[in-house]
Amino acid sequence: MTDYRAILNKPEYDFINKNEHLGKHVILLGLAGSYAYGTNIESSDIDIRGITLNQKSDLIGLTQFEQYVDDNTDTVIYAFNKMVNLLLSCNPNTIELLGLAPDNYLYLNDIGKMLLDHKRLFLSKRAIQSFGGYADAQLRRLQNALARDTFPQSEREQHIFNSVKNAMYSFNSSYKNFENGSLEIFIDKAVNPELETEIFVNAKLSHYPLRDYVSMWNTMSNVVKDYDKIGKRNKKKDDLHLNKHAMHLMRLFMMAIDILEKGEINTYREKEHELLMDIRFGKYQTDEGTFSDSFYDMMREYEKKLHYASKHTQLPDEPDFKSVQELVMTINERVIRDEI
């Protein structure tokens, strides 16, 4: 494997040493994205994710710090306490930082190693929902993209309907006053002569905040607009993204199954590298732009494996909060004592 550690010596990464929240407080830096999974290609960007300790003033003073983002280098470095909370939820985008290939850690000090040594404390059945939710979202992206390009109008309308309905599920939590009215969407014979079927809305609102009203309609409007970009589609570019989505869907299944079956976080997919790259390079995409039956057969097999692993996993229902708290206190005590 290539040694990427030298990239930290480039001038664009000087902020790591100069920023007051980073420097000696950084405990771990690693590759993220395609490089972390081993699925990078020539055009892949190098993304870096990391963890930095909270400062003493964050812990026993009045300052607050959650993360540092450098858009120029695609780097995100999380504050330790925030990262712990993300790890407890088994968030796929952060839990993968604990399962990199050894050579993909660009920097790792003794506290970072301590965290890696205790990574199993964060694993629980929460992974079923977190990874399952991400995989479901990835699958919807695939279905939505295919619906825009290859499905008859009535089927495209059904996909738009499903996507809007998914967006509406969050309204009750996002808008506190949603109980002051109701929204119902349904599909019926089209009024528009250019369509076969059409989505309709029954809306009843009273004494409703205008800003919430505008925000809700924008949410649904954006879904519809996304499907109306067919004529502006760059097929070559979009197919690359489509196949990348398909590859990440399978990768999420693979990682989730490893966590549930083995209690292991394996971010770098060495054994499945060839399969994932075949998907990324379009081997499973048909001439019509859809995916082959073999791709969907494979996806269903991974879904079955994930379902079985979910039912039979030995992981606890919840993470070991007590042990995690002891670990966090041990590490943060070193900050307070200026022992870093």
Side-chain angles (χ1 to χ4, degrees):
M1 293 178 66
T2 305
D3 187 355
Y4 294 100
R5 278 169 276 207
I7 67 173
L8 296 180
N9 297 324
K10 294 182 177 181
E12 54 263 41
Y13 291 95
D14 283 350
F15 65 88
I16 294 176
N17 293 317
K18 294 180 178 179
N19 186 273
E20 63 176 336
H21 296 288
L22 308 178
K24 70 174 184 178
H25 291 87
V26 174
I27 63 172
L28 181 156
L29 294 170
L31 295 177
S34 296
Y35 280 88
Y37 313 135
T39 58
N40 53 291
I41 57 177
E42 188 175 347
S43 60
S44 296
D45 295 325
I46 292 181
D47 303 336
I48 293 178
R49 297 293 177 267
I51 306 171
T52 186
L53 296 174
N54 292 85
Q55 296 185 22
K56 186 188 297 187
S57 59
D58 300 331
L59 300 173
I60 56 175
L62 298 177
T63 61
Q64 292 183 334
F65 174 70
E66 290 195 343
Q67 65 188 48
Y68 183 92
V69 179
D70 183 77
D71 293 326
N72 182 48
T73 59
D74 291 320
T75 298
V76 181
I77 302 177
Y78 297 91
F80 177 65
N81 281 3
K82 178 177 181 178
M83 173 58 80
V84 166
N85 284 315
L86 291 170
L87 293 174
L88 286 169
S89 67
C90 218
N91 178 290
N93 288 336
T94 52
I95 201 77
E96 65 186 31
L97 194 56
L98 302 186
L100 301 181
D103 290 344
N104 285 346
Y105 286 106
L106 308 182
Y107 174 77
L108 189 64
N109 68 9
D110 63 318
I111 298 178
K113 290 175 183 175
M114 187 190 305
L115 180 64
L116 294 186
D117 288 343
H118 292 83
K119 58 188 174 185
R120 282 186 62 93
L121 297 179
F122 298 97
L123 299 185
S124 70
K125 290 181 182 177
R126 290 184 176 191
I128 299 170
Q129 295 301 322
S130 61
F131 274 85
Y134 270 69
D136 184 60
Q138 206 72 38
L139 179 58
R140 271 207 308 275
R141 288 191 186 101
L142 281 180
Q143 292 173 328
N144 291 347
L146 293 174
R148 287 199 302 271
D149 295 335
T150 61
F151 289 5
Q153 186 273 320
S154 59
E155 290 189 43
R156 285 203 303 271
E157 198 75 358
Q158 182 66 48
H159 276 270
I160 298 173
F161 174 80
N162 291 339
S163 294
V164 173
K165 201 169 183 179
N166 284 328
M168 288 177 66
Y169 286 145
S170 66
F171 284 0
N172 281 320
S173 59
S174 299
Y175 306 106
K176 294 180 180 178
N177 293 312
F178 193 58
E179 64 269 15
N180 290 355
S182 63
L183 284 176
E184 176 193 9
I185 62 171
F186 57 95
I187 294 179
D188 205 344
K189 185 176 179 180
V191 173
N192 186 333
E194 297 181 2
L195 304 177
E196 296 177 20
T197 60
E198 193 171 1
I199 300 171
F200 293 87
V201 177
N202 286 336
K204 182 180 180 182
L205 300 171
S206 61
H207 198 70
Y208 200 82
L210 176 62
R211 290 174 180 81
D212 283 359
Y213 173 82
V214 171
S215 182
M216 279 197 303
W217 283 107
N218 282 341
T219 298
M220 293 187 285
S221 175
N222 288 336
V223 173
V224 176
K225 286 178 181 178
D226 189 40
Y227 282 86
D228 289 339
K229 294 177 181 177
I230 303 172
K232 301 176 182 178
R233 185 177 189 265
N234 180 333
K235 187 177 189 304
K236 183 177 180 181
K237 182 179 179 181
D238 287 357
D239 280 351
L240 290 174
H241 287 123
L242 194 65
N243 287 312
K244 187 176 179 180
H245 284 317
M247 177 191 70
H248 283 308
L249 171 63
M250 294 302 180
R251 179 190 59 79
L252 285 165
F253 282 133
M254 294 167 184
M255 282 196 67
I257 291 167
D258 276 353
I259 288 173
L260 295 170
E261 283 188 349
K262 307 172 187 176
E264 297 178 359
I265 308 167
N266 295 316
T267 306
Y268 189 80
R269 308 309 306 184
E270 184 175 10
K271 292 181 180 178
E272 302 93 353
H273 177 265
E274 184 176 354
L275 169 62
L276 292 173
M277 297 309 288
D278 280 346
I279 298 172
R280 179 160 199 174
F281 288 132
K283 181 178 178 179
Y284 290 88
Q285 194 176 25
T286 67
D287 293 338
E288 292 77 25
T290 60
F291 285 90
S292 64
D293 290 342
S294 59
F295 173 82
Y296 287 109
D297 288 342
M298 179 168 52
M299 184 186 72
R300 281 189 283 270
E301 281 302 309
Y302 273 107
E303 285 180 323
K304 288 178 183 176
K305 289 180 181 179
L306 180 59
H307 180 73
Y308 182 87
S310 301
K311 294 291 185 182
H312 296 86
T313 183
Q314 298 299 307
L315 291 180
D317 292 337
E318 298 292 336
D320 187 344
F321 289 106
K322 182 178 179 181
S323 296
V324 170
Q325 179 162 272
E326 290 175 357
L327 175 66
V328 170
M329 289 191 297
T330 297
I331 291 174
N332 283 337
E333 187 176 6
R334 289 182 58 173
V335 176
I336 295 171
R337 295 178 179 273
D338 293 320
E339 296 175 352
I340 61 170

